[in-house]
Amino acid sequence: MRFSHAEENSALPVSIYQLMANPEKYDGKEVYVIGFMHLEFEGDVLYAHREDWVHTLIQNGLALDVPKSEYAKWLKINNNYVVVQALFSATERGHFALRAGSLTKISKLAKWQVPKR
């Protein structure tokens, strides 16, 4: 599955760094963001980069509120870069409040396809 921001014009295109630096600016807003997804027990996270997961840089990630009904499907694309459209929460910060924020009410999630140059 692939979708572009042009198709999802209701969401704000942002980077994880924008969300981490100015969480209050985006709190409660629908965002469109790309990052490295890693799913595990009590640790479903969208990281800025794969290396952030490898080196356990937990503050460089956002908690993902993955619906149980979608979990098995999303596990198939685990440990890949993905594009996510969701509501951003600055106050919900995942398990033990370890993350910089969270992506809730996820409406779209797909493996990121690098655009051809």
Side-chain angles (χ1 to χ4, degrees), residues 84-101:
V84 181
Q85 182 173 325
L87 262 140
F88 177 72
S89 173
T91 57
E92 294 178 37
R93 299 178 54 212
H95 187 66
F96 290 124
L98 295 172
R99 310 299 171 194

Side-chain angles (χ1 to χ4, degrees), residues 60-101:
N60 286 353
L62 303 172
L64 287 171
D65 185 16
V66 180
K68 290 184 187 338
S69 62
E70 300 291 324
Y71 204 83
K73 180 173 80 173
W74 292 358
L75 270 176
K76 293 177 184 175
I77 59 171
N78 193 23
N79 295 329
N80 279 287
Y81 282 90
V82 297
V83 59
V84 181
Q85 182 173 325
L87 262 140
F88 177 72
S89 173
T91 57
E92 294 178 37
R93 299 178 54 212
H95 187 66
F96 290 124
L98 295 172
R99 310 299 171 194

Side-chain angles (χ1 to χ4, degrees), residues 36 47-57 81:
F36 184 82
Y47 288 98
H49 297 283
R50 180 185 177 278
E51 291 75 16
D52 295 326
W53 166 64
V54 169
H55 298 289
T56 318
L57 302 175
Y81 282 90

